[in-house]
């Protein structure tokens, strides 16, 4: 079935043009002025609107088993909520328990994700180390389309990696041409501070940010970056929330190291005042790691995004409803960590990024889609509107407004961290794999229509890292005396 998007302004990360977009069989087949609609094609009027690549959220956790419960959003509801907000691809996380076979976990997550309505892919977490993990990483990269591995430097006693695991896994990832990613928080310090705070009688959600000060994140970011530097491996740091980790990334990039940084919509816009709210449920709904930070950090993160030190935006969409949050009613360390946002990311980024003059529409496309596609090596299939690309497209009306609310959102969570926020510039049509899955409030997603996206190893920056290492390889001195 063909589809012609007529009369809009096509915005790519590096080029904007007035053009029509012709879609057939799930792909973009032509972009240009005054395209003819083939017989039987559906024509969508995009006059006055921006036509942009669908968003890629490189950090979600649908139906994740975590902290004694399971995230409330599943792959169908979550990708549907994403589609309403203009996100057409998610990269979720397979998180094996320590000692669990990575391939087992991978196939379990693949099973769950079969219900996804839009395309999806997986990072796989390395939570322990053995020869079998080493072998499984090879299978995942060479046979199963995984090109990124996640390392949690926090969550001691659960999924935390120590330096030995980091060194082993980074070394293996380098052989395979896979990208190492880290959740950077010093889990040892977090555990220590949690016990101190509980001993002082601080049991409410306000204990959460106090047990995870920004120095804890900065230390881990720096350590991961230095380990990656020594091992000569590219690194991606997820959910940077603070000045300290941004500075670590900035220093490393200024010194020529391939380090990428992600920022969450929530960390750009919500401050730590939420944890001192009088309503326990309200405060607990903001318990996520790293926590929301004092306001000064948000402005720094926006500048990091503008300056290119942070390249991607994500949500860390990991929903827990009120009864789940109440599992920690008398101990903040037992409040499941995480919150939602997959439906709202594009809207809040546009409103607070483009409408404020921080980002151009092309820069918006870069930080919501194209950069993630490049870093995770699915560009130009994703992240671009051009012939041959997947037809994942949003039609964006810059004049229309919406008020974000838990009462109207499609996310399976009874709370929204952006509650009451009025955003101007909204998604009106979402096309995923060539099909209209959302149009003007009408949700048409199909359970199971999403496809698994294979991501090949050795993105081009990886080759550059390896080449540089060869040029600077250790050498012996041949002596004649
Ligand atoms: O609090 C969070 N972020 N929960 C999800 C797991 C993680 O750390 O990304
Ligand atoms: Zn994390
Ligand atoms: Zn996460
Ligand atoms: Zn709920």
């Amino acid at each position: 079935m063909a589809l012609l998007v007529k009369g809009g302004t096509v915005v790519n990360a590096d080029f904007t043009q007035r053009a029509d977009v012709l879609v057939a069989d799930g792909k973009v087949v032509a972009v240009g002025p005054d395209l003819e609609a083939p017989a039987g094609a559906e024509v969508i009027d995009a006059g006055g609107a921006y036509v942009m690549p669908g968003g890629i959220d490189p950090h979600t956790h649908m139906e994740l088993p975590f902290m004694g419960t399971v995230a409330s959003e599943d792959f169908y509801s979550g990708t549907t909520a994403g589609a309403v907000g203009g996100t057409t691809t998610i990269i979720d996380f397979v998180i094996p328990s320590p000692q669990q076979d990575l391939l087992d976990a991978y196939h379990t997550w693949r099973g769950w994700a079969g219900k996804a309505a839009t395309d999806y892919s997986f990072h796989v977490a390395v939570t322990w180390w053995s020869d079998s993990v080493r072998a499984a990483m090879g299978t995942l990269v060479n046979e199963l389309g995984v090109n990124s591995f996640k390392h949690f430097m926090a969550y001691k006693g659960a999924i935390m990696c120590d330096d030995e695991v980091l060194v082993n896994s980074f070394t293996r990832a380098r052989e395979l041409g896979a990208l190492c990613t880290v959740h950077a928080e010093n889990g040892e310090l977090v555990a220590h501070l949690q016990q101190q705070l509980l001993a002082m009688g601080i049991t409410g959600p306000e204990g959460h940010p106090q047990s995870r000060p920004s120095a804890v994140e900065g230390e881990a970011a720096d350590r991961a970056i230095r380990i990656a530097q020594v091992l000569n491996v590219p690194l991606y740091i997820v959910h940077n929330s603070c000045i300290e980790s941004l500075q670590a990334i900035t220093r490393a990039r200024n010194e020529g190291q391939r380090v990428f940084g992600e920022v969450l919509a929530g960390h750009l816009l919500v401050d730590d005042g939420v944890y001192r709210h009088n309503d326990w449920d309200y405060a607990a709904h903001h318990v996520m790691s790293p926590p929301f930070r004092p306001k000064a950090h948000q402005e720094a993160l926006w500048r990091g995004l503008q300056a290119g030190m942070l390249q991607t935006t994500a949500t860390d969409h990991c929903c827990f409803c009120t009864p789940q949050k109440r599992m920690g009613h008398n101990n903040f360390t037992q409040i499941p960590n995480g919150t939602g946002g997959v439906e709202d990311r594009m809207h809040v980024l546009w409103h607070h990024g483009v409408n404020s003059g921080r980002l151009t529409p092309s820069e918006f496309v870069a930080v919501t889609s194209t950069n993630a596609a490049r870093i995770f090596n699915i560009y130009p299939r994703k992240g671009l509107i051009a012939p041959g690309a997947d037809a994942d497209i949003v039609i964006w009306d810059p004049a229309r407004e919406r008020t974000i609310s838990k009462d109207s959102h499609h996310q399976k969570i009874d709370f929204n961290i952006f509650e009451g926020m009025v955003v101007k510039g909204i998604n009106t049509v979402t096309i995923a794999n060539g099909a209209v899955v959302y149009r003007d409030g009408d949700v048409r997603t199909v359970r199971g229509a999403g496809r698994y996206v294979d991501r090949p190893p050795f993105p081009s920056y990886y080759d550059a890292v390896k080449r540089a290492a060869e040029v600077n390889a250790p050498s012996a001195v041949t002596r004649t005396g």
Side-chain angles (χ1 to χ4, degrees):
M1 158 84 177
L3 201 67
L4 182 64
V5 179
K6 253 202 123 36
T9 300
V10 175
V11 184
N12 279 312
D14 52 9
F15 191 61
T16 296
Q17 65 187 131
R18 290 294 295 272
D20 302 338
V21 180
L22 182 62
V23 166
D25 301 323
K27 298 276 181 194
V28 174
V29 294
V31 180
D34 305 318
L35 299 181
E36 292 289 332
E42 181 181 352
V43 178
I44 300 179
D45 177 15
Y50 292 111
V51 178
M52 302 187 285
I56 299 172
D57 189 335
H59 189 157
T60 65
H61 301 281
M62 304 305 172
E63 54 194 280
L64 173 70
F66 192 52
M67 294 184 72
T69 184
V70 177
S72 54
E73 187 90 272
D74 69 32
F75 278 91
Y76 175 56
S77 62
T79 50
T80 295
V84 171
T87 289
T88 50
T89 303
I90 60 167
I91 313 181
D92 205 276
F93 292 82
V94 173
I95 307 183
S97 309
Q99 309 307 316
Q100 186 185 3
D101 176 20
L102 270 63
L103 299 179
D104 240 32
Y106 169 86
H107 290 296
T108 299
W109 258 263
R110 283 290 301 267
W112 293 336
K115 54 176 105 58
T118 63
D119 287 358
Y120 57 94
S121 194
F122 285 113
H123 314 281
V124 175
V126 174
T127 53
W128 61 295
W129 192 255
S130 74
D131 285 344
S132 69
V133 172
R134 187 174 194 286
M137 288 173 75
T139 305
L140 287 163
V141 171
N142 295 320
E143 297 171 30
L144 297 170
V146 172
N147 73 6
S148 50
F149 292 98
K150 172 73 172 288
H151 307 79
F152 290 93
M153 298 171 79
Y155 306 121
K156 187 183 175 196
I159 52 177
M160 182 172 99
C161 290
D162 61 15
D163 287 1
E164 185 180 359
V165 176
L166 292 179
V167 169
N168 281 318
S169 178
F170 283 21
T171 302
R172 177 61 169 150
R174 187 178 185 280
E175 292 170 1
L176 295 166
L179 181 58
C180 296
T181 80
V182 292
H183 167 134
E185 283 186 304
N186 182 316
E188 199 60 49
L189 283 172
V190 171
H192 177 78
L193 293 176
Q194 284 177 333
Q195 292 319 310
Q196 261 189 358
L197 287 155
L198 290 173
M200 290 165 73
I202 299 172
T203 59
E206 68 280 9
H208 180 72
Q210 298 183 85
S211 68
R212 314 177 96 97
S214 54
V216 158
E217 184 177 340
E219 186 282 327
D222 250 321
R223 178 159 39 101
I225 287 170
R226 289 304 191 185
I227 292 172
Q229 179 186 26
V230 171
L231 299 177
N232 241 303
V233 62
L235 180 69
Y236 178 97
I237 302 183
V238 306
H239 54 38
N240 289 276
S241 74
C242 66
I243 293 170
E244 287 86 337
S245 60
L246 173 62
Q247 283 176 339
I249 291 171
T250 302
R251 179 199 56 72
R253 289 179 65 90
N254 282 338
E255 292 174 11
Q257 201 179 332
R258 301 274 171 181
V259 178
F260 304 108
E262 168 193 283
V263 63
L264 307 184
H267 284 137
L268 288 167
L269 292 161
V270 178
D271 71 71
D272 64 345
V274 293
Y275 297 113
R276 305 201 78 85
H277 198 284
N278 192 43
D279 178 359
W280 189 96
D281 287 339
Y282 180 92
H285 266 296
H286 292 88
V287 167
M288 64 159 299
S289 298
F292 298 108
R293 301 294 188 189
K295 274 196 176 0
H297 293 274
Q298 290 147 40
E299 200 41 50
L301 294 172
W302 277 111
R303 297 221 186 90
L305 195 59
Q306 283 179 277
M309 293 299 160
L310 302 172
Q311 298 77 33
T312 61
T313 59
T315 58
D316 200 358
H317 188 83
C318 188
C319 293
F320 299 105
C321 289
T322 304
Q324 295 175 290
K325 289 288 185 179
R326 287 183 183 166
M327 291 165 63
H329 72 278
N330 56 13
N331 179 343
F332 70 86
T333 69
Q334 288 166 20
I335 301 171
N337 284 204
T339 187
V342 73
E343 182 171 347
D344 305 315
R345 175 183 66 123
M346 304 274 281
H347 287 133
V348 302
L349 257 293
W350 182 276
H351 183 76
H352 293 277
V354 178
N355 293 347
S356 68
R358 288 172 169 129
L359 302 172
T360 66
S362 278
E363 288 165 347
F364 168 85
V365 168
V367 302
T368 57
S369 181
T370 311
N371 290 350
R374 288 195 170 121
I375 290 168
F376 294 106
N377 212 22
I378 47 175
Y379 186 84
R381 174 179 168 190
K382 303 285 189 193
L384 178 74
I385 297 180
D390 283 358
D392 292 343
I393 295 169
V394 298
I395 302 180
W396 202 267
D397 184 342
R400 271 176 47 188
E401 292 187 347
R402 166 183 298 174
T403 303
I404 295 176
S405 174
K406 69 172 172 38
D407 298 325
S408 52
H409 72 197
H410 299 74
Q411 303 172 131
K412 257 201 207 166
I413 178 175
D414 54 357
F415 192 83
N416 193 309
I417 57 168
F418 305 116
E419 185 71 33
M421 186 183 285
V422 179
V423 287
K424 185 175 181 188
I426 67 168
N427 179 43
T428 58
V429 179
T430 306
I431 298 166
N433 284 320
V436 175
V437 295
Y438 174 76
R439 185 164 189 178
D440 288 325
D442 179 19
V443 180
R444 308 180 196 168
T445 52
V446 175
R447 195 181 176 88
R451 300 166 307 176
Y452 176 71
V453 179
D454 271 309
R455 292 179 296 123
F458 291 111
S460 56
Y461 57 82
Y462 217 112
D463 289 338
V465 168
K466 289 201 101 168
R467 185 77 201 108
E470 282 160 21
V471 170
N472 301 306
S475 60
V477 173
T478 311
R479 295 187 177 81
T480 51

